[in-house]
Amino acid sequence: MESSGCVGLMAVVAISSSVALVVHQFHKRLVADFMKKAELELGGGRIKRPKKKVTFAADVVEPSTDNKEYRRRRRRSNPEEEAVISMPV
């Protein structure tokens, strides 16, 4: 008689703890969804957008080899443009 009461008590503890864990997980998810909605309504949560990729024009990108030669040629090709840029406004 005593062992059947012990088995019954263990069954009640196991079922009630399982129900408590399921309710706890459900509550956490419900609160998380509510917080996301509240942040969006208040403007605190920003939508993550993908970063924009920058591409340079072909004449702007320096070649990986012999950068000094490239710069020297670029300086000689536009001396008037450099003079206009260096003048104070």
Side-chain angles (χ1 to χ4, degrees), residues 35-48:
M35 291 302 290
K36 284 180 186 176
K37 288 179 184 177
E39 284 180 5
L40 288 175
E41 285 182 11
L42 295 175
R46 294 192 175 189
I47 299 171
K48 293 182 180 178

Side-chain angles (χ1 to χ4, degrees), residues 11-60:
V12 169
V13 169
I15 292 172
S16 63
S17 62
S18 299
V19 170
L21 287 173
V22 168
V23 168
H24 178 68
Q25 292 295 322
F26 178 73
H27 185 263
K28 275 189 356 185
R29 185 168 295 170
L30 188 66
V31 169
D33 290 342
F34 176 74
M35 291 302 290
K36 284 180 186 176
K37 288 179 184 177
E39 284 180 5
L40 288 175
E41 285 182 11
L42 295 175
R46 294 192 175 189
I47 299 171
K48 293 182 180 178
R49 296 184 179 138
K51 291 185 178 182
K52 295 180 180 178
K53 293 183 179 180
V54 178
T55 55
F56 295 98
D59 62 339
V60 175

